[in-house]
Amino acid sequence: MAQKVYLSNYELEDAIKMYFNKLTNLRKEKEMVNTWDANGRVTSEAIYSLMSSPFYNSSAMDGIAVKSSATIGATDRNQIVLEEGKEYIVVDTGDPIPKEFDSVIMIEDLIRVDDNKVKIYKSAVPWQHIRALGEDIVENQLIIPSNHKIRPVDLGAMIAGGVNKVEVYKRPRVGIIPTGTEIVEPGTELKVGDIIEFNTRTFSAQVENWGGKPNRYNIVDDVYEDIKKSVKTAAEENDVVLINAGSSAGREDYTAKVIEELGEVVLHGVAIKPGKPVILGIVDNKPVIGIPGYPVSAYFIMELIVKKLIESYQGIESKALKEVKATLSRRVMSSLKHLEFVRMKLGYVGNKLIATPLTRGAGATMSLVRADGILEIPQSSEGIEAGEEIKVKLLKEEEDIKNTIVCIGSHDPIIDIISDFIHMRNKEYYLSSAHVGSMGGIMALKKEETHIAPIHLLDMESGEYNTSYVKKYLPDKNIYLIKGVKRLQGLIVKKGNPLNIKGFKDIADGNKKFVNRQRGSGTRLLLDYNLKKLGINPNEILGYEREEFTHLSVAAAVAAGDVDCGLGVYSAAEMMDLDFIPLCKEEYDVAVPEEYLEMDIIKEFIKVIKSEEFSKELDRLGGYEYSSIGEIVKI
Amino acid sequence: MAQKVYLSNYELEDAIKMYFNKLTNLRKEKEMVNTWDANGRVTSEAIYSLMSSPFYNSSAMDGIAVKSSATIGATDRNQIVLEEGKEYIVVDTGDPIPKEFDSVIMIEDLIRVDDNKVKIYKSAVPWQHIRALGEDIVENQLIIPSNHKIRPVDLGAMIAGGVNKVEVYKRPRVGIIPTGTEIVEPGTELKVGDIIEFNTRTFSAQVENWGGKPNRYNIVDDVYEDIKKSVKTAAEENDVVLINAGSSAGREDYTAKVIEELGEVVLHGVAIKPGKPVILGIVDNKPVIGIPGYPVSAYFIMELIVKKLIESYQGIESKALKEVKATLSRRVMSSLKHLEFVRMKLGYVGNKLIATPLTRGAGATMSLVRADGILEIPQSSEGIEAGEEIKVKLLKEEEDIKNTIVCIGSHDPIIDIISDFIHMRNKEYYLSSAHVGSMGGIMALKKEETHIAPIHLLDMESGEYNTSYVKKYLPDKNIYLIKGVKRLQGLIVKKGNPLNIKGFKDIADGNKKFVNRQRGSGTRLLLDYNLKKLGINPNEILGYEREEFTHLSVAAAVAAGDVDCGLGVYSAAEMMDLDFIPLCKEEYDVAVPEEYLEMDIIKEFIKVIKSEEFSKELDRLGGYEYSSIGEIVKI
């Protein structure tokens, strides 16, 4: 076991300043490219036209070119006849105007006499309908400024101005080295302990989006000399090198040592979370960065530091993300040790933008996929209370967030499918869900933080679902239930049910490993209700304390052989190819306040669940009854 | 001369609906690509994970894996010794946790005893510091919805979920045919009548930005059979065909006829300006579109119709441009015949967003380059008055517009250079200028539509520049002059001065062709002042009525041999390699209201003009004196 290496704790801004100051030799290289190949590139100097456009006087209309002096006095009553070749020539739009003519008469204003004669009935003003030389672009005019990202129209204007080659910043070549003995390429036959390499694939796509040229190397094992050789080569072959991972301080984290030996570690450790153990180094005058291995940490280092670097090679000023004000729905704690970045779900409920924190683990790739925005908690803050106004940096268009149904409550696999169907049918609509259990959904409705709440809450006395809970917890609100599905709940067990589990009694015999759902979830209530009825003490159940947040996670734990059983819905067992012991049918409905029922997005939600395609999908999943789906019941 | 063909006049929305309805066979083709190559592509189906991530329980920390039951009772006073191999194994972050262990203790919480023994001083909670199987992604979970544009993080999550191939919409192949006998490739030796082909280069870049694959063909002459053959081939080889130009109704406009013969013209002519003469056709069930030849018309057809088409192949819903409210600075007239799109310059002056229309000609490529936004004037409107509130669709980030110095007034080539310097030195700052002459600048200050106004106004009585005009026209405002340059004004004549022009008298002899500047420009005032002094009647000057808006346009007209002389600044003559007869020195200063002097962007303006680099640039241009540049004088 190696000694713990203590990392430095520079503030992000200071770290970036210190590092970029050291990179004085960061050369913005330039290159000449054909103007027609320059779309999206950044000009390294101002572009002046080399010729005028048009470069001769030309007709702006289809018609005839005339001497204006020869047309003076023409009126309706005193029409003047002009002869082709002598007093006029025919011109189409764009045709040059010979020196002897100074005006154009449109075809619409001509009366044909014969093949080479026309009559006109009003005089022509000098220079009418003529595009004068240089009307669009004048030779030597500054047409495109320096440090400008070339758009299609810019490219057109440059060619029009005779500029066929343009000097732009070179796209930096970015070497990306995945390291780690446990790391394997996707598609490899997997064994326990393997980790699929995907970070550097994400890096490559990011680098590409920022205008760099990604250059990914093969995976290097955790062998000091191999890593050193690979970094040395990459520093020779690229403008920037990224090494992933080995940036923290575990047994086999060689990155810092390698950079130190080949060049200089400018700093190791920045006071941000996730992303702390980054290594900012220099080898051969080129930036070499050790990116942390956890995907979320890696993401923030890429976005906060590497992006700036890649863009600065190209003369681009990184744009800050747009910031909006929002109300925090749940308390977020943070430490005084670092600036923390929290991924947030966002949704407009009523007039308020509600921000809900997502899972904060550095390994939670899906939290990045699902995030609508980022909350920054300053180093000086210990956290933010629920209900406080916060600023959130947007990862998504505000317009899209406005068109999003916020759905907080119990989880069922069909919620993801409804979300997909809504966006597929109506591309500007989205559904964003948070899985906090049925009671969590009721509380979100109470605090006006969600449009809808999927719930399945069994009234232990009446045996009825949902209604009594809404009445009890939301007495002041006009709530409706959009009827959902009746779904089978039961025990999810291994294929073939090798332990012959038949019901709740069997799981409390001290021999079966169980996995539970979180407190406040309807499924947990169902378990507790049944245990109580049967007089079983939860302590008798091995694994009662291990909580998962979705049916699928429960099924996954069983599928992996990690536990013997868990309580969940049929569809989850089916998706994982497991056996299922049905125990009861429950009503999974969607609670919605009256005022949201008329919203277009909620109407679309109802349309989707009533649709034939969705019924087919429910049949495919199995375990659902949907005879009254989409019906609206006032409570 | 062909008969005028009458085009149809469908409203844009109707035309698009009619055309897209006809394109029922518009197939969204799909293809499988490697997930790591799918950045920016659009999913054609929802993506479900094929495996869990992590797919085994793994350590979330560097430390040791233990049985939690073996740690119960450990305290500071009752430290428990554990033995490696028996009671623990060493684990790094990501290492698998063997079945016999259920908890991880961090390295920080261990006291080393010897090489294979540690002491602990608190008990380990079951499942602490363990990343459970499926913690991030559960097998069969919906990870990415359909119709989703894949981002780098999505790509990472898919690979983590075992998805190595992903089904996406095919990028449509777009055949682009430039036509026209007068059209030549850039780089060709030019003769009068030639038009450099740049439209289809712009189209290619646009198509690429929208996700399509551009496939540009060689230029086809205006020969009916050649165009027909080319369109036929392109329809076979591509998903969409664009033909440029030949979409209007002039002598050689064959596009409509060709499409009609090969397939169907759905409609010819839409009630928009620019862009009216578009042809929407279908050949072999594929969209074939005749794009108008004028670059601005072409731009709008591309943005309004072709973009929608290219995106719909890929399942992308076109996003509307963001709209903001602004105040119109100048009256804009429009006809009842069409929906009109006017390119606008935008700037925040005080608290108001001021929108100023740019040149409206369909050939004005530079108006597209310079536009910050688009004003749409509905078909039902005859125009909008100055001062009215309008809605403008943004082509630029609002933030960039806020960081823009608005500069309205007299033109000098140095304004373009200052603009370039400001952005180069400070990448978030911009300068946006409109050339309306000195008096136009004074009026813009009066109406509070500009931050600064460059002026050079000679007081005919005192012989002083600028001050008296500011006092007279802006009596209620606290205006300062930022001193600019003294510049040489004189007659710009052909190289070698073949007509031996020496002064104003020579240009009024009836033999010299002159080109004038627009009314309200300081240069025009200077001319009129001198003519009056000399007793010359403007009517005696050939070309007095032809007005240009900038010094460079005047010089360009002389350079082209189009006129013999014009009045302008030395630098313009120098840039065009022309001769110059100096007549007087004038003071070109910048008027600015007191309240803007403290703005960061105005401070930067002053810094730039006082900088050494800028002085060097003035020396290079020649004809400028700048001893007091950047001094601030209260009026």
Side-chain angles (χ1 to χ4, degrees), chain A residues 39 56-57 92-93 133 136 139-140 146 151 194 209 251 319 363 365-366 369 400 420 560 562 575-576, chain B residues 39 56-57 133 136 139-140 146 151 194 209 251 294 319 363 365-366 369 400 420 560 562 575-576:
Chain A
N39 187 30
Y56 49 85
N57 296 321
D92 276 349
T93 305
L133 177 154
D136 189 6
E139 189 181 328
N140 271 316
S146 48
R151 303 163 298 172
D194 286 346
N209 286 1
R251 283 183 301 174
K319 294 252 180 222
T365 314
M366 282 306 291
V369 171
D400 291 343
D420 186 46
D562 205 35
M575 280 164 86
M576 291 283 183
Chain B
N39 187 29
Y56 49 85
N57 296 323
L133 176 154
D136 189 5
E139 189 182 328
N140 271 317
S146 47
R151 302 163 300 171
D194 286 346
N209 286 0
R251 283 184 299 173
Y294 269 130
K319 295 251 180 221
T365 314
M366 282 306 290
V369 171
D400 291 343
D420 185 46
D562 205 35
M575 280 162 86
M576 292 281 183

Side-chain angles (χ1 to χ4, degrees), chain A residues 252-266:
Chain A
E252 291 157 353
D253 293 340
Y254 295 142
T255 310
K257 269 182 270 172
V258 163
I259 298 176
E260 193 64 60
E261 200 187 322
L262 292 174
E264 176 191 4
V265 170
V266 177

Side-chain angles (χ1 to χ4, degrees), chain A residues 471-504:
Chain A
K471 278 186 187 153
K472 182 173 173 192
Y473 290 100
L474 304 169
D476 305 331
K477 292 191 185 288
N478 292 324
I479 302 286
Y480 285 73
L481 280 187
I482 302 170
K483 293 304 287 177
V485 291
K486 285 192 183 151
R487 62 181 194 182
L488 267 179
Q489 283 266 24
L491 288 168
I492 298 171
V493 299
K494 288 178 190 164
K495 190 76 184 169
N497 194 6
L499 299 181
N500 198 24
I501 296 167
K502 282 176 192 146
F504 291 112

Side-chain angles (χ1 to χ4, degrees), chain A residues 399-432:
Chain A
E399 204 49 45
D400 291 343
I401 295 169
K402 285 188 181 144
N403 283 327
T404 297
I405 303 170
V406 180
C407 170
I408 300 181
S410 165
H411 179 258
D412 186 282
I414 66 171
I415 293 294
D416 297 333
I417 292 163
I418 296 170
S419 170
D420 186 46
F421 270 48
I422 284 175
H423 182 58
M424 196 161 47
R425 283 168 53 114
N426 209 321
K427 290 196 197 79
E428 67 262 45
Y429 290 171
Y430 298 87
L431 182 144
S432 149

Side-chain angles (χ1 to χ4, degrees), chain A residues 87-101:
Chain A
E87 281 143 328
Y88 74 84
I89 60 160
V90 176
V91 286
D92 276 349
T93 305
D95 284 350
I97 306 294
K99 292 242 188 266
E100 59 268 34
F101 300 116

Side-chain angles (χ1 to χ4, degrees), chain A residues 1-4 28 36 39 46 48 51-52 55-57 59-60 62 90 92-96 99 107-108 110 112 126-127 131-133 136-147 151-157 159-160 164 186-187 190-198 201-202 205-206 208-209 249-252 294 299 315 317 319 322 363-366 368-369 400 416-417 420 423-424 427-428 430 545-546 548 552-553 556-557 560-562 575-576, chain B residues 1-4 28 36 39 46 48 51-52 55-57 59-60 62 90 92-96 99 107-108 110 112 118 127 131-133 136-147 151-157 159-160 164 186-187 190-198 201-202 205-206 208-209 249-252 294 299 315 317 319 322 363-366 368-369 400 416-417 420 423-424 427-428 430 545-546 548 552-553 556-557 560-562 575-576:
Chain A
M1 220 172 331
Q3 276 304 100
K4 186 80 191 161
K28 289 183 199 168
W36 38 92
N39 187 30
Y48 292 83
M51 54 179 284
S52 295
F55 66 93
Y56 49 85
N57 296 321
S59 180
D62 293 340
V90 176
D92 276 349
T93 305
D95 284 350
K99 292 242 188 266
I107 195 168
E108 287 90 333
L110 301 176
R112 211 163 185 176
W127 296 98
R131 289 190 73 208
L133 177 154
D136 189 6
I137 296 170
V138 178
E139 189 181 328
N140 271 316
Q141 177 189 345
L142 193 160
I143 35 179
I144 306 291
S146 48
N147 286 298
R151 303 163 298 172
V153 287
D154 300 327
L155 183 158
I159 301 174
N164 297 337
L190 294 173
K191 57 181 198 301
V192 168
D194 286 346
I195 295 175
I196 301 176
E197 206 297 297
F198 64 90
R201 305 293 186 163
T202 303
Q206 285 175 306
E208 202 165 69
N209 286 1
R251 283 183 301 174
E252 291 157 353
Y294 270 131
Y299 172 83
E317 184 82 355
K319 294 252 180 222
K322 194 185 168 183
T365 314
M366 282 306 291
L368 290 173
V369 171
D400 291 343
D416 297 333
I417 292 163
D420 186 46
H423 182 58
M424 196 161 47
K427 290 196 197 79
E428 67 262 45
Y430 298 87
E545 72 288 346
R546 180 173 168 193
E548 292 292 342
L552 273 175
S553 318
D562 205 35
M575 280 164 86
M576 291 283 183
Chain B
M1 218 174 325
Q3 277 303 98
K4 187 80 190 164
K28 290 182 197 165
W36 39 91
N39 187 29
Y48 291 83
M51 54 179 284
S52 296
F55 65 95
Y56 49 85
N57 296 323
S59 180
D62 294 340
V90 175
D92 275 348
T93 305
D95 284 351
K99 292 244 187 263
I107 196 166
E108 288 90 331
L110 301 175
R112 213 164 184 172
V118 294
W127 296 98
R131 288 190 72 210
L133 176 154
D136 189 5
I137 296 171
V138 179
E139 189 182 328
N140 271 317
Q141 177 188 348
L142 192 158
I143 35 179
I144 307 291
S146 47
N147 286 297
R151 302 163 300 171
V153 287
D154 300 327
L155 184 157
I159 301 174
N164 297 336
L190 293 173
K191 59 181 196 303
V192 168
D194 286 346
I195 295 175
I196 300 176
E197 207 298 298
F198 63 88
R201 305 294 186 163
T202 304
Q206 285 174 307
E208 202 164 72
N209 286 0
R251 283 184 299 173
E252 291 158 353
Y294 269 130
Y299 172 82
E317 184 82 357
K319 295 251 180 221
K322 194 184 169 183
T365 314
M366 282 306 290
L368 289 173
V369 171
D400 291 343
D416 298 333
I417 291 164
D420 185 46
H423 181 59
M424 197 161 47
K427 290 196 197 78
E428 66 263 42
Y430 298 86
E545 73 287 346
R546 180 173 169 192
E548 292 291 344
L552 274 176
S553 319
D562 205 35
M575 280 162 86
M576 292 281 183

Side-chain angles (χ1 to χ4, degrees), chain A residues 66-72 101-105 120 122-130, chain B residues 545-546:
Chain A
V66 297
K67 265 193 194 65
S68 59
S69 56
T71 69
I72 294 170
F101 300 116
D102 68 350
S103 193
V104 166
I105 303 175
I120 57 166
K122 58 184 177 194
S123 60
V125 179
W127 296 98
Q128 83 179 13
H129 305 318
I130 289 182
Chain B
E545 73 287 346
R546 180 173 169 192

